[in-house]
Every structure is written in structure tokens, then in C-alpha cells.
Amino acid sequence: MSETLLTFARRQPGWDNEERALIARLERLLMGAGIAVELELGETDEGDPWAAFCNAFTGDVVVHLARLDGYYLVEAGVLGRAIEGRSLAQCAERFF
């Protein structure tokens, strides 16, 4: 009897190259608007990535991005509500 190893495709943890480019674009936009920010990156216990742009002087979160179970969330106090979408690019279109 032979054994078969099955593998299931799962999105890699962390941000992919396209997502990193969008995060870098957002950082440039914030800095260009005169908002000094520091970028913090991390992952949840489940391996979902998050990113936070924090005010460089106060440490307060200015913008928070997250991918949770394949769904994206962008939160910023100035927006008044969270932006949700199926891709970070989709959220970025509504944010920019």
C-alpha cells in the first residue's frame, strides 16, 4: 500500500510584494502630508499580518492595516470608519 501526502494551499504568512508596495506608498503619502510616522509590522498568533503606522512623537496609531482570514481591514481615526475588502489594493483605492 502506498501513502499519498496531500498538501493544501494556504496563503503565506506575512505581506506579499504587492502588499508591501502599497504599505510603502501609504508611508510616503503620510510623510508627504507632514505626518512623521514609524512603521511597525507583526503577525497575529494565527499568522495573519498586521501593520501599524504610529506617530513618531507620541506613539499613537495613525493607521492600522490587517489581513484576517484572507479579509483586509484598514482603520484610521480620520476616516471615521474602517475600510474592509477582499484585497489590500481594494482597500487602498478607497483610502487614497
Side-chain angles (χ1 to χ4, degrees):
M1 179 187 308
S2 66
E3 294 182 24
T4 302
L5 178 63
L6 298 176
T7 59
F8 297 93
R10 182 174 186 272
R11 186 171 185 115
Q12 292 288 353
W15 300 108
D16 66 25
N17 289 337
E18 180 183 344
E19 293 165 337
R20 284 182 220 167
L22 287 168
I23 292 169
R25 180 178 175 210
L26 178 55
E27 183 174 28
R28 286 190 304 274
L29 287 171
L30 291 169
M31 298 291 268
I35 304 169
V37 293
E38 295 177 349
L39 176 61
E40 295 185 23
L41 300 168
E43 291 183 355
T44 65
D45 291 340
E46 292 78 21
D48 294 318
W50 58 264
F53 290 100
C54 300
N55 182 298
F57 303 107
T58 65
D60 295 337
V61 175
V62 177
V63 178
H64 182 257
L65 316 166
R67 183 177 69 221
L68 303 168
D69 294 325
Y71 202 68
Y72 294 81
L73 181 68
V74 177
E75 296 180 293
V78 298
L79 295 175
R81 64 177 179 77
I83 296 173
E84 301 175 6
R86 295 197 179 275
S87 73
L88 190 55
Q90 182 184 52
C91 293
E93 285 176 14
R94 295 180 8 215
F95 185 83
F96 299 133

